[in-house]
Amino acid sequence: VIFGDFLRCAPRFKGGAFLCTPVGGGADMAQAAQLTIMCSGPEEAYHRALPLFKSLSKAQHYLGEGYGARAMKLAHNMMIAVNMQMFAETLAFCEKAGVDPNTAMDIISESALNNFYLTFKMPEIRDRSFQLTSMPIRMLAKDLRLAAGCMDQLKVTATVTALVKQMLDSLNAQGYGDKDPSWLVLQMEKMAGLDPAEMK
């Protein structure tokens, strides 16, 4: 059961409690204590742990005693994957229509469609380095599988998540599971009949 009551199965120690505490942010943000902490579990335990959380992060959120932290982390990674897939499709479309990809990225970055994640990823897409600066494709695909399973269990439609998972699974099957999700840009260029090596 994906959303089973693992809190009941967690080891119980005298005076101890179990907190589910995923984080948002990469290694650089962790080193700079700029993570976002999402926490579920006993509220009293959360407040006891809060001084530690504050020393590690810029923001801390208590999401109740249930499954909120796990759901929020999966939702966060769903947004990363869908965002990059949409950007990859947009860039391939613009390139195919004859728009210089750097100009397309300039326009996107100047518009209301830009966001922190795209701002973070655009430099390596521009220089075609596609550095692994976030979780690899295989891990993101795994989280989308978990998210789709949870949404199915909760009877929430997961149409877009399921489609993007297929794209990530395709890259993983091609041997690119350890690459950055920005490789979706290369995938969409290939599918559009473009030569990714020439798109700089």
Side-chain angles (χ1 to χ4, degrees):
V1 178
I2 297 172
F3 267 155
D5 188 5
F6 74 79
L7 293 178
R8 191 174 354 182
C9 303
R12 296 294 180 181
F13 300 100
K14 186 176 180 180
F18 185 89
L19 291 171
C20 177
T21 314
V23 300
D28 290 346
M29 296 180 76
Q31 291 175 357
Q34 291 295 299
L35 296 170
T36 295
I37 285 181
M38 300 157 270
C39 184
S40 290
E43 187 170 7
E44 185 274 334
Y46 167 75
H47 287 293
R48 272 194 285 151
L50 193 54
L52 172 62
F53 293 161
K54 286 183 176 180
S55 73
L56 301 172
S57 60
K58 65 178 179 180
Q60 311 81 35
H61 300 278
Y62 177 65
L63 299 171
E65 296 192 359
Y67 314 117
R70 283 168 289 166
M72 193 68 241
K73 179 60 178 179
L74 291 175
H76 178 271
N77 289 346
M78 286 164 53
M79 291 289 291
I80 285 176
V82 170
N83 203 350
M84 183 52 71
Q85 175 64 28
M86 187 68 253
F87 178 75
E89 290 183 21
T90 299
L91 202 59
F93 167 57
C94 289
E95 293 174 58
K96 192 77 174 187
V99 177
D100 178 82
N102 288 304
T103 301
M105 283 186 273
D106 287 341
I107 293 170
I108 292 169
S109 67
E110 294 161 1
S111 75
L113 302 174
N114 196 23
N115 56 51
F116 177 82
Y117 181 61
L118 290 182
T119 298
F120 177 59
K121 300 303 293 183
M122 275 192 205
E124 67 197 57
I125 294 171
R126 286 180 186 274
D127 66 22
R128 314 302 282 186
S129 63
F130 298 99
Q131 302 171 47
L132 180 56
T133 50
S134 59
M135 70 168 58
I137 286 167
R138 58 183 173 78
M139 296 296 292
L140 190 57
K142 177 265 298 178
D143 276 6
L144 262 62
R145 285 193 292 274
L146 290 174
C150 292
M151 293 171 77
D152 182 64
Q153 187 176 358
L154 295 170
K155 300 187 182 337
V156 177
T157 302
T159 305
V160 176
T161 300
L163 290 172
V164 177
K165 185 184 80 66
Q166 291 179 18
M167 300 302 298
L168 293 171
D169 285 342
S170 174
L171 282 168
N172 199 24
Q174 294 174 59
Y176 303 128
D178 290 327
K179 301 297 184 181
D180 190 83
S182 56
W183 273 57
L184 284 165
V185 172
L186 298 174
Q187 178 84 333
M188 295 311 300
E189 287 174 343
K190 289 179 182 177
M191 292 177 67
L194 297 162
D195 181 359
E198 296 179 357
M199 301 297 149
K200 297 184 179 182

